[in-house]
Amino acid sequence: MNVSVPFLDMKAPHQELAAELDTAYHRVLDAGWFILGEEVDAFEAEFANYVGVKHCVGVGNGLEALHLILRAYGIGPGDEVIVPSNTYIATWLAVSYAGATPVPVEPDPKTYNLDPANLAAAITPRTKAVLPVHLYGQPADMDAIVEIAHQHGLKVIEDAAQAHGARYRGRQAGGLGDAAGFSFYPGKNLGALGDAGAVTTNDEALADKVRLLRNYGSRVKYHNEVKGFNSRLDPLQAAFLRVKLRHLDEWNERRRQVARRYLAAWQGIPGLILPFVSAFAEPAWHLFVVRHPQRDALQKHLREADIGTLIHYPIPPHLSEAYQEMNFQPGTFPLAEEFAASLLSLPIGPHLTEPEQSAVIESVCQFF
């Protein structure tokens, strides 16, 4: 009998933590405080401690985390921000929302992350920041990126939306640059039960500005110092995140076990490019992404075997309709385009059972 394997099981994590989540839910309701407040303060302190930074500011979602960092640094119209050519479009959108211009840089062909070797050539007098992404939960080469950026007086803002618990040379993602934006979208390693995000930083002035911007530009009710936004972490989501944060390392270890099993099973399959893990990296394994020129056929084969897959991401930002005004032509960023045509994300997660893992392994092997 075939085993049906969803790409991601969203019920199992909450079934495992049902009692703890129920307690958190009732704690918020009993407190009767539903905007910011003690629950958000507590999560911010706990997550800052986890990441190893001085400040965490809870916001509405991961896109707004990046956007508010850029705004808080005064980056806007006329400025440029270097971004990866292959990433989820939110990385670029954050730059656009601030009024600045995203400048794409091609990735390292092994890690799919922004390649430090391509960074210096993209810097101009208008460049104000570099926005590397820890794509799929694999940390970017941050020491090299930070060194080049700081030589040119640029801020380094991590897009850590997929990297909860990932480590770079023993240090947590989210504490490797000047600031970082996290998403707690439900499917993330640390996921809320709705939209949520956070900014992490050691920069006290930045944290203070982001707190101001997230709350209508106000520290005191009805006293608005700047034109701010409404982007506040919900206390109920903060309570759920506090519960799930306690389990994050354990769940990430389960992901690593699945990744190790996949890597061992598929090593040596001709033409199948497996995830590359740099010596400096301890990935969070948010996604397990393979590469093959017959990606679409492989995806069809797995779909027929009732195994869920996704493509992260089928259209690189420079070819999306949203950025057509930049007039990028096909072939402008060949690596990003090649990856969009050949990468496939396979099921991975802390609640993927051994029979489900076996079904994925056997189905991939059958294709080849």
Side-chain angles (χ1 to χ4, degrees):
M1 179 175 165
N2 288 341
V3 176
S4 176
V5 185
F7 178 74
L8 182 63
D9 186 345
M10 293 301 295
K11 293 182 180 179
H14 306 126
Q15 290 169 344
E16 179 179 338
L17 303 180
E20 292 177 74
L21 293 170
D22 283 348
T23 298
Y25 169 80
H26 286 291
R27 186 174 68 242
V28 174
L29 263 62
D30 291 344
W33 193 277
F34 305 118
I35 299 293
L36 297 176
E38 292 182 3
E39 204 71 51
V40 173
D41 291 345
F43 171 72
E44 289 175 340
E46 290 163 11
F47 194 62
N49 181 65
Y50 178 82
V51 173
V53 295
K54 295 176 182 177
H55 305 283
C56 169
V57 185
V59 297
N61 55 62
L63 169 56
E64 290 174 0
L66 295 173
H67 169 220
L68 293 181
I69 293 170
L70 292 163
R71 290 272 184 174
Y73 276 136
I75 296 170
D79 297 332
E80 296 176 348
V81 177
I82 294 173
V83 296
S85 60
N86 65 312
T87 181
Y88 183 52
I89 199 170
T91 312
W92 287 42
L93 290 175
V95 178
S96 298
Y97 287 176
T101 301
V103 176
V105 164
E106 285 273 74
D108 180 313
K110 288 185 177 180
T111 67
Y112 310 128
N113 282 322
L114 191 151
D115 191 343
N118 296 330
L119 188 53
I123 296 171
T124 75
R126 299 202 303 168
T127 309
K128 294 295 186 292
V130 182
L131 216 171
V133 180
H134 305 309
L135 200 61
Y136 314 140
Q138 301 267 1
D141 190 358
M142 290 299 294
D143 283 354
I145 291 169
V146 169
E147 181 179 2
I148 295 167
H150 286 181
Q151 284 174 356
H152 292 83
L154 310 179
K155 297 295 184 183
V156 178
I157 301 164
E158 300 169 73
D159 183 335
Q162 301 181 0
H164 315 76
R167 290 181 176 271
Y168 172 84
R169 303 192 191 279
R171 294 174 287 150
Q172 287 275 11
L176 305 171
D178 294 291
F182 281 90
S183 166
F184 303 123
Y185 182 79
K188 305 297 187 185
N189 293 38
L190 179 61
L193 276 65
D195 267 326
V199 171
T200 56
T201 185
N202 286 312
D203 185 336
E204 184 172 356
L206 175 78
D208 184 64
K209 188 67 179 290
V210 172
R211 286 192 183 95
L212 187 65
L213 288 170
R214 75 174 175 183
N215 190 36
Y216 296 100
S218 173
R219 299 173 214 271
V220 178
K221 193 163 182 146
Y222 303 131
H223 181 77
N224 304 87
E225 301 173 34
V226 297
K227 297 181 183 71
F229 303 86
N230 178 8
S231 182
R232 302 172 297 210
L233 175 61
D234 184 281
L236 187 59
Q237 300 302 341
F240 292 148
L241 288 167
R242 292 180 69 194
V243 170
K244 296 177 81 172
L245 180 58
R246 297 196 291 267
H247 299 269
L248 178 58
D249 285 342
E250 177 196 347
W251 286 8
N252 279 350
E253 179 54 36
R254 294 187 206 172
R255 288 174 179 271
R256 281 191 284 273
Q257 290 171 5
V258 177
R260 284 194 288 266
R261 190 176 176 197
Y262 282 173
L263 290 168
W266 298 326
Q267 201 70 42
I269 292 180
L272 183 66
I273 299 177
L274 299 174
F276 173 82
V277 179
S278 300
F280 56 64
E282 184 180 329
W285 291 108
H286 173 59
L287 297 172
F288 191 97
V289 182
V290 299
R291 190 162 128 225
H292 193 270
Q294 292 181 292
R295 187 270 311 282
D296 293 346
L298 173 59
Q299 185 177 41
K300 181 175 182 289
H301 168 80
L302 293 173
R303 183 168 58 249
E304 290 171 349
D306 207 11
I307 291 171
T309 63
L310 284 176
I311 297 171
H312 294 91
Y313 299 96
I315 302 173
H318 72 279
L319 296 182
S320 70
E321 291 181 53
Y323 282 96
Q324 60 184 334
E325 81 282 356
M326 297 187 76
N327 201 31
F328 289 120
Q329 300 301 312
T332 306
F333 298 101
L335 282 178
E337 294 171 33
E338 178 190 337
F339 297 157
S342 59
L343 291 174
L344 185 66
S345 299
L346 303 177
I348 191 170
H351 297 87
L352 194 68
T353 66
E354 290 198 7
E356 288 173 335
Q357 295 169 38
S358 296
V360 176
I361 289 169
E362 290 167 12
S363 294
V364 169
C365 288
Q366 286 169 1
F367 177 79
F368 292 100

